[in-house]
Amino acid sequence: MSRYVYDFNEGDASQKDLLGGKGANLAEMTNLGLPVPPGFTITTNACRAYLESGDQPPELGAEVDQHLTALEKEMGRTLGQADDPLLVSVRSGAKFSMPGMMETVLNVGLTDESVEGLTKISGSGRFAWDSYRRLLSMFGTTVLGVERALFDEALDGAKSARHVDGDLDLEVEDLRQLVATYKEIIAEHADREFPQDPREQLDLAVLAVFSSWNTDRAKIYRRREQIPDDLGTAVNVCAMVFGNLGDDCGTGVCFTRDPASGHQGVYGDYLPNAQGEDVVAGIRNTLPLTALGDRDQKSYDELLQIMETLERHYKDMCDIEFTVERGKLWMLQTRVGKRTAAAAFRIAMQLVDDKMIDKDEALRRVTGEQLANLMFPQFDKSGDLELIAKGMAASPGAAVGKAAFDSATAVAWAAEGEDVILVRRETNPDDLSGMIAAKGVVTSRGGKTSHAAVVARGMGRTCVVGVETLRVDPRKKDFRTPDGAHVQEGDVLSIDGSTGEVFNGDVPVMPSAVVEALLSQGQDEATQDSGARDDAAETDHAELVHAVTTLMEHADATRRMGVRANADTPEDAKRARVFGAQGIGLCRTEHMFLGSRRKLVERVVLAHTEEQRESALKELLPLQRDDFLGIFEAMDGLPVVVRLLDPPLHEFLPDLTDLSVKVAVAEALGEPDEAAAQLLKEVQRHDEQNPMLGMRGVRLGLVIPGLFLLQVRAIAEAAVELRKRGFDPRPEIMVPLVGDVKELAIIRAQAEATIKEVGAELEMDLTYLIGTMIELPRAAMTAREIAHEADFFSFGTNDMTQTTWGFSRDDVEAEFFPRYIDEGIFHVSPFETLDIAGVGRILSMAAWEGKETKSDLVLGVCGEHGGDPASIHFFETILIDYVSCSPFRVPIARLECARATLESTGSQQS
């Protein structure tokens, strides 16, 4: 029989699948002997059973009874006991952290009767009635589905009637009346009274937390973070400890290192006389963690010791929630903390230097996506800037966009291609869609552990919080500052998430310092950073650069797969090389035949005689040779895979519609244009209904004599010329869109003959690898045969995805992909991350069978997926030899290839 409930002293940190992250870590802290309020965890299995059936498992009630009885015995009180009530919190806790996405209910067990008992036992009527109104608000919103705004408006009304600004300024009678108002709101809008049975409160709260797994915001968050939908959440039931009993109490969130920068020190937020949700929700501006030391040195010193204990135990930066109740410190939660990209690299390297982890583990702690965030541009502040406010730097980066004061506007504008800055008093979980759409987020309230800060850091969004001088008016959709600045909806803002600065207008940006470092790492001599920095900024810069370059060097020494670049020009080739590319995995040649050369290709295609075709090819040869000279020189000593001409035939011919209009107009004017009319006939003859599946790739080379051989000759002649000049060119020739081995065999034989001919003419022995793109399902299915004629396979995952799914990428991504993602058909576009179940299986089979035929067959990937972290990890499992991606993503691919190697070797060892 399944077991659904575990006490905190029965689990450990390894049981996140069963107990969720929060429950597993509460158990781990209990095992460490840290001061954790007693409680129990209802497992993710129970949640999944409830979500599948719509009802809780039959055994769950009895198990909760058993563990609740044990908790009551330990505490010496019963849930909701009239004279001295045991109160509990009911909190979500999934395997993967989803901050603010699911529900929490505090003070469960308070009733009209027990609130009087709590008043007597605590000696504070204000505390008791404040706790009761909090329960009513949370329970009404979370469990009974009443709009949060109704409770907020009632609270604002009570403060307005008392002529005060803060919740703490309300008197006992104000809170009594507020409780009565809240109960009336629930009765009116929930069609039932607030339950006065403490056990009913608990049961309903547990089911509400289960149900919160499938709220819209939770689904959006999981989709963005690629968290599986079938995991479910655990529920943690914990004896309440109170930070809102008076000024000698409080609550806070702290980090063992700065989550924004990675620096060691004391970081966190503290609120006296408050409950934990006040800190996380950002509804009150917090004090620095050191304020606890000014009020309660004993608890502060104990907290610092526990912070050190937890970091050394977890060997990572920890995020900790705590409460102080009348001088007693309680630990409510810990987890490995979310951090910015810069902090991730700094912390990983610091832990290596401290000998807490090795470099392999450090690589596991950083990601390609984080490296990409570090490569974002930064503000150029050398000009005249209008600084209008400054808050807390919550998530770094430079973001510029139009001010939007609600999430719906941010989403709508972003869908129209606008850059947006979301401006809020504070964000709540319902703002997630707006935060995803926006380039950056600004809030006037909250601290570094508020919802806005935590979620923005997790998403890599630039974020500034706690900008107290902003007077944000959501209804008027504007804000003002005491200095007279007035920003309305649609005005442009620039925010610096590294400094907390908010600027009016569009601030220019400059390249990332990490990009400079990576470029320097790829050159013989490091370039000097010309940006002016003060001493502290210079130290930060040097530390970050050291962390990135050291870990990148280790990544290069660790990874099995090579990393090449997709580059079509000498400039791109040079950029790729300094970013660490080990060659070019895809040099597209189609752009070389457009522009002024298009007419020459048109002459080749429409030639009526051999002489006409040869004349045009002869003119094209030196132009194509010069193209390759620059690229081969830039990649001296490294392989360059040149893809022969691939685009559809119509791209080289006059536009059919324009030409038809021209001919028709000439005839209508009585001035027929015979040449245009004849050209029209030729274009009509070559017209295709679906050109992407028509005359392109290898078919061009077979049907139009001399076109591919022109390119092969240009490649060979360019390589010979560079060899004579002392260079070491290493071209490889790739035949596109092959579907049958005979197609490749014919082109290969012609290419080898041309190469031999060039070698004889120039008195040089020439041998080049010749391979093919595997981008059609039929090519993959016949890979065993095709490998006989290929020296390498390069998987074209873009076209393979299109032809496997039957999608036209240009049409479907905007047309129905959003709906597919909403419906859960995709978690992410298959053009961004490889469809492993379908396309991945095809690639795996082709790779295996190709290697069976020819053990030294080189396998590469040259589609967009070559730079996608998740896809790279799959390519490691099917033993791809190299990936190729855009030059800017080369460092990301280098890092992820190393992480994939470590993941693969780790799974093999286990």
Side-chain angles (χ1 to χ4, degrees):
M1 185 176 72
S2 297
R3 180 181 175 188
Y4 291 116
V5 186
Y6 291 76
D7 281 339
F8 289 166
N9 61 8
E10 295 182 295
D12 59 51
S14 69
Q15 295 178 288
K16 291 181 180 179
D17 284 322
L18 180 68
L19 304 178
K22 189 174 297 178
N25 287 324
L26 283 168
E28 190 75 7
M29 287 196 294
T30 300
N31 295 338
L32 289 172
L34 301 181
V36 177
F40 54 87
T41 298
I42 303 172
T43 66
T44 57
N45 289 340
C47 177
R48 286 193 293 270
Y50 170 74
L51 294 176
E52 289 170 5
S53 67
D55 198 3
Q56 68 179 35
E59 310 94 331
L60 182 58
E63 283 195 60
V64 171
D65 282 340
Q66 176 187 342
H67 288 268
L68 179 60
T69 299
L71 175 61
E72 291 172 332
K73 183 177 181 181
E74 182 174 358
M75 297 299 293
R77 293 172 280 156
T78 61
L79 182 68
Q81 180 177 308
D83 60 341
D84 184 8
L86 168 65
L87 306 182
V88 298
S89 62
V90 180
R91 307 175 77 188
S92 62
K95 176 182 179 180
F96 299 106
S97 177
M98 296 172 56
M101 296 302 112
M102 291 179 291
E103 303 296 2
T104 292
V105 185
L106 304 180
N107 308 324
V108 170
L110 271 178
T111 64
D112 292 348
E113 185 178 20
S114 63
V115 70
E116 301 292 354
L118 186 62
T119 297
K120 292 177 183 177
I121 201 71
S122 68
S124 172
R126 191 197 179 288
F127 155 72
W129 287 94
D130 181 54
S131 297
Y132 197 15
R133 71 94 185 167
R134 289 171 183 267
L135 169 62
L136 288 165
S137 175
M138 286 187 181
F139 196 94
T141 300
T142 297
V143 180
L144 301 178
V146 179
E147 287 187 27
R148 185 192 311 271
L150 295 171
F151 298 108
D152 291 343
E153 289 171 5
L155 177 59
D156 289 343
K159 290 188 287 189
S160 178
R162 176 64 68 176
H163 304 292
V164 297
D165 293 327
D167 304 357
L168 298 179
D169 298 318
L170 294 175
E171 303 291 342
V172 175
E173 285 308 312
D174 301 325
L175 293 168
R176 279 180 180 270
Q177 182 56 51
L178 199 55
V179 165
T181 302
Y182 279 10
K183 287 162 69 177
E184 290 172 2
I185 290 171
I186 289 172
E188 179 180 354
H189 294 276
D191 294 327
R192 66 156 295 168
E193 301 290 332
F194 174 74
Q196 293 296 315
D197 177 359
R199 181 55 196 272
E200 183 184 6
Q201 292 179 19
L202 176 60
D203 290 342
L204 290 175
V206 168
L207 296 183
V209 173
F210 283 163
S211 297
S212 71
W213 176 258
N214 280 332
T215 60
D216 288 342
R217 65 174 183 255
K219 290 178 179 177
I220 292 171
Y221 187 87
R222 289 199 298 273
R223 189 160 63 235
R224 175 177 174 77
E225 299 297 319
Q226 299 186 36
I227 297 172
D229 285 328
D230 59 357
L231 296 181
T233 181
V235 178
N236 300 286
V237 178
C238 184
M240 284 292 302
V241 291
F242 298 98
N244 60 331
L245 267 168
D247 288 338
D248 60 345
C249 305
T251 189
V253 177
C254 58
F255 300 90
T256 57
R257 297 172 192 248
D258 185 354
S261 70
H263 295 314
Q264 294 174 288
V266 179
Y267 297 95
D269 298 323
Y270 179 70
L271 267 178
N273 198 13
Q275 287 196 324
E277 292 304 299
D278 297 340
V279 178
V280 176
I283 58 178
R284 285 170 56 189
N285 286 333
T286 58
L287 301 176
L289 187 63
T290 51
L292 173 60
D294 299 333
R295 293 168 172 267
D296 184 348
Q297 188 66 47
K298 175 177 173 292
S299 295
Y300 180 67
D301 290 343
E302 184 181 2
L303 177 62
L304 294 185
Q305 182 60 50
I306 289 173
M307 290 168 65
E308 182 178 352
T309 298
L310 287 173
E311 178 167 287
R312 292 205 165 272
H313 180 73
Y314 283 94
K315 297 182 179 180
D316 206 345
M317 182 198 85
C318 292
D319 171 353
I320 301 164
E321 292 183 24
F322 67 92
T323 283
V324 177
E325 180 182 299
R326 291 180 171 169
K328 170 64 176 175
L329 176 67
W330 293 98
M331 309 308 294
L332 305 183
Q333 177 177 339
T334 191
R335 59 191 172 196
V336 171
K338 291 185 179 294
R339 64 206 69 183
T340 65
F345 277 86
R346 283 198 184 98
I347 291 171
M349 203 61 228
Q350 289 165 1
L351 294 175
V352 169
D353 293 340
D354 292 343
K355 295 182 169 41
M356 292 174 68
I357 62 174
D358 59 20
K359 286 183 180 178
D360 283 355
E361 180 60 26
L363 285 180
R364 296 185 182 99
R365 302 272 181 95
V366 295
T367 67
E369 185 175 355
Q370 289 169 333
L371 181 59
N373 287 337
L374 288 180
M375 296 171 72
F376 291 154
Q378 301 170 340
F379 283 139
D380 179 0
K381 298 181 180 178
S382 60
D384 293 330
L385 307 179
E386 185 183 349
L387 177 66
I388 56 176
K390 187 170 183 178
M392 298 184 196
S395 186
V400 180
K402 292 183 176 180
F405 289 82
D406 60 78
S407 287
T409 301
V411 170
W413 285 357
E416 295 171 359
E418 299 279 3
D419 290 341
V420 181
I421 302 295
L422 180 63
V423 182
R424 303 286 282 157
R425 287 177 177 168
E426 70 271 339
T427 64
N428 61 56
D430 293 327
D431 285 315
L432 181 64
S433 59
M435 296 179 71
I436 291 174
K439 295 294 183 183
V441 180
V442 178
T443 68
S444 59
R445 301 174 182 170
K448 286 187 177 181
T449 55
S450 65
H451 173 269
V454 172
V455 174
R457 278 198 296 272
M459 294 193 304
R461 285 288 180 276
T462 300
C463 183
V464 176
V465 300
V467 192
E468 297 182 2
T469 57
L470 297 189
R471 300 292 181 260
V472 178
D473 190 330
R475 293 185 179 179
K476 292 182 179 178
K477 297 188 175 183
D478 69 357
F479 71 73
R480 298 176 185 270
T481 70
D483 295 334
H486 182 208
V487 172
Q488 298 175 294
E489 185 176 74
D491 291 345
V492 175
L493 287 177
S494 299
I495 64 170
D496 190 327
S498 301
T499 64
E501 294 170 309
V502 180
F503 299 97
N504 201 6
D506 188 344
V507 177
V509 297
M510 60 183 182
S512 156
V514 169
V515 170
E516 295 172 3
L518 291 170
L519 290 173
S520 299
Q521 194 178 34
Q523 294 173 333
D524 293 335
E525 296 183 5
T527 57
Q528 296 297 313
D529 176 20
S530 59
R533 298 185 179 90
D534 58 29
D535 290 343
E538 189 62 45
T539 300
D540 279 357
H541 166 75
E543 189 179 45
L544 178 59
V545 166
H546 168 68
V548 172
T549 54
T550 300
L551 291 180
M552 291 302 294
E553 287 171 0
H554 187 64
D556 288 338
T558 300
R559 60 186 166 88
R560 182 194 61 81
M561 282 189 288
V563 178
R564 302 185 189 181
N566 300 339
D568 314 331
T569 66
E571 294 72 27
D572 281 348
K574 291 173 185 175
R575 184 178 299 111
R577 184 161 191 155
V578 295
F579 270 134
Q582 297 164 292
I584 292 177
L586 175 61
C587 176
R588 304 175 182 91
T589 56
E590 43 267 27
H591 81 277
M592 303 174 185
F593 291 89
L594 300 177
S596 60
R597 305 182 192 180
R598 183 170 177 168
K599 282 288 184 182
L600 291 173
V601 182
E602 181 184 317
R603 284 168 50 192
V604 173
V605 173
L606 300 180
H608 292 289
T609 67
E610 187 69 24
E611 291 75 14
Q612 290 175 336
R613 180 176 290 112
E614 287 298 325
S615 174
L617 290 171
K618 188 175 181 180
E619 290 184 55
L620 279 170
L621 178 60
L623 301 174
Q624 178 81 119
R625 183 173 56 237
D626 288 345
D627 293 327
F628 295 134
L629 281 171
I631 295 171
F632 294 167
E633 182 176 341
M635 279 289 164
D636 182 38
L638 295 176
V640 176
V641 177
V642 180
R643 183 177 71 184
L644 302 181
L645 208 56
D646 184 50
L649 189 61
H650 77 278
E651 292 190 14
F652 300 115
L653 300 178
D655 182 85
L656 179 60
T657 301
D658 291 345
L659 191 55
S660 298
V661 170
K662 179 180 178 181
V663 171
V665 169
E667 290 178 352
L669 294 175
E671 302 172 355
D673 186 334
E674 294 298 333
Q678 182 59 38
L679 181 59
L680 177 60
K681 290 180 181 179
E682 293 291 336
V683 173
Q684 288 173 330
R685 183 168 65 86
H686 291 288
D687 184 46
E688 297 176 304
Q689 291 298 313
N690 192 342
M692 292 305 293
L693 296 178
M695 184 66 73
R696 57 172 287 218
V698 69
R699 301 156 196 170
L700 279 175
L702 289 170
V703 174
I704 301 176
L707 192 55
F708 273 14
L709 301 186
L710 155 78
Q711 294 189 284
V712 172
R713 174 171 280 275
I715 290 168
E717 289 183 359
V720 168
E721 182 174 333
L722 286 173
R723 282 175 64 179
K724 289 180 177 179
R725 288 160 46 186
F727 290 95
D728 180 20
R730 300 183 183 182
E732 301 177 8
I733 297 168
M734 182 161 66
V735 183
L737 213 73
V738 164
D740 188 273
V741 64
K742 293 177 184 177
E743 293 174 313
L744 180 59
I746 293 169
I747 297 297
R748 182 184 185 107
Q750 294 175 355
E752 287 178 333
T754 300
I755 293 167
K756 185 176 181 180
E757 184 178 300
V758 173
E761 292 171 3
L762 301 175
E763 300 179 346
M764 196 171 288
D765 184 28
L766 303 179
T767 303
Y768 303 127
L769 297 181
I770 299 175
T772 184
M773 286 189 82
I774 302 294
E775 52 191 325
L776 296 175
R778 192 182 192 283
M781 298 296 168
T782 59
R784 184 178 281 110
E785 290 74 30
I786 291 176
H788 286 291
E789 296 292 338
D791 299 317
F792 63 87
F793 285 172
S794 183
F795 292 103
T797 54
N798 299 342
D799 272 357
M800 184 66 83
T801 299
Q802 291 194 102
T803 53
T804 300
W805 276 94
F807 288 153
S808 170
R809 177 176 183 174
D810 294 337
D811 297 326
V812 300
E813 285 199 289
E815 186 68 25
F816 63 81
F817 271 25
R819 178 64 179 272
Y820 268 45
I821 290 173
D822 288 341
E823 296 291 343
I825 299 171
F826 299 150
H827 288 293
V828 65
S829 165
F831 292 109
E832 294 177 25
T833 294
L834 192 79
D835 161 32
I836 293 174
V839 177
R841 187 176 180 188
I842 292 173
L843 265 57
S844 178
M845 182 190 69
W848 177 265
E849 294 189 357
K851 285 280 194 179
E852 273 193 327
T853 296
K854 188 177 290 183
S855 61
D856 61 349
L857 183 74
V858 178
L859 303 176
V861 171
C862 63
E864 291 298 318
H865 301 97
D868 171 65
S871 304
I872 286 171
H873 285 249
F874 170 73
F875 298 144
E876 175 68 29
T877 68
I878 63 171
L879 300 179
I880 295 295
D881 293 304
Y882 69 84
V883 295
S884 189
C885 56
S886 68
F888 191 79
R889 295 195 69 81
V890 164
I892 299 162
R894 289 163 54 200
L895 177 61
E896 285 298 341
C897 283
R899 285 166 41 79
T901 298
L902 292 172
E903 181 181 292
S904 176
T905 55
S907 63
Q908 290 170 7
Q909 290 170 0
S910 63

